[in-house]
Amino acid sequence: MIVTMILNGKKITDEIAADMTLFDFVRKHGCYSVKCGCETTNCGLCTVFLDDTPVLSCAMLAARAEGRRVETLEGLQKEAEEFGSFIADQGAEQCGFCNPGMIMNAIALFRENPEPTDEEIKQYLAGNLCRCSGYEGQLRGMHAFIEYKKNGGAACGK
C-alpha cells in the first residue's frame, strides 16, 4: 500500500506493508530519536506528534497517518533544545534513553498548559519510563523552564 504524510515538514510518499507501525515508518525515514523500549505502550519512548497530539508510534499503524502531519524530535529542534537544556542542568539525563519521549510530552504539555502544577506535570508524564533518575530532576528542570518562560526567556539562576 502507498502512504503519504508530512514528516517533520517534508511530504513523504512510500510503499509500506499493511502492518507497518508508525514507529518503523519514522525510523525508516531517519528519525532516530524515536525509540521503542517496550512495544506495549508503557514507556513513552516512541512518542511522536500526530497533528500536534502526542501518540505512541509503536501502537499505531503507519497507514493511519495517511494525509496527516507527523513530527518527531528531529522536527522540533528549537523547542527541544530550549527545554532540554533545563533537564540537562538538573542532571536528569543520566543515560538519555528516555529524553526524546520525555521532551516530546513536555513540549505537548507546555503547549497545552504553560504553567502546570506538579500534579498536572506528573499526570501528563505518567506514561514515560525513566529508570535512572526517579523523575525528580525532570520535575526540577520543568519548574526552571516554567520560570524561564514566565521571565520572558530571561535566565533565572541558569
Side-chain angles (χ1 to χ4, degrees):
M1 88 177 16
I2 303 290
V3 68
T4 300
M5 66 185 76
I6 306 299
L7 179 59
N8 294 326
K10 182 180 175 187
K11 184 177 181 179
I12 304 282
T13 300
D14 197 0
E15 186 168 348
I16 63 167
D19 64 348
M20 179 183 235
T21 64
L22 185 56
F23 167 78
D24 289 326
F25 184 89
V26 298
R27 296 274 302 184
K28 177 182 178 186
H29 291 281
C31 300
Y32 300 116
S33 69
V34 184
K35 299 175 181 144
C36 192
C38 69
E39 296 182 349
T40 60
T41 69
N42 287 309
C43 71
L45 298 177
C46 66
T47 301
V48 300
F49 289 169
L50 182 65
D51 296 331
D52 293 321
T53 300
V55 298
L56 299 171
S57 64
C58 76
M60 182 175 182
L61 294 175
R64 294 203 55 210
E66 169 66 34
R68 299 177 78 183
R69 190 169 35 88
V70 177
E71 290 177 293
T72 69
L73 209 52
E74 286 85 356
L76 300 170
Q77 284 299 302
K78 186 176 180 190
E79 280 179 280
E81 285 179 26
E82 183 180 41
F83 171 67
S85 67
F86 286 87
I87 296 296
D89 283 350
Q90 296 299 321
E93 61 171 16
Q94 291 176 21
C95 80
F97 195 67
C98 70
N99 280 356
M102 185 79 63
I103 290 172
M104 291 293 289
N105 281 299
I107 288 171
L109 170 63
F110 292 135
R111 285 178 176 180
E112 186 178 312
N113 182 358
E115 295 184 32
T117 65
D118 278 358
E119 196 55 42
E120 290 168 326
I121 292 170
K122 289 175 184 177
Q123 185 176 29
Y124 214 91
L125 299 181
N128 288 91
L129 179 64
C130 176
R131 294 182 176 162
C132 295
S133 70
Y135 304 99
E136 291 304 314
Q138 284 95 340
L139 193 56
R140 286 191 310 270
M142 292 179 93
H143 283 295
F145 182 74
I146 291 165
E147 285 302 312
Y148 168 79
K149 287 301 206 179
K150 278 184 190 177
N151 291 329
C156 52
K158 186 175 185 268

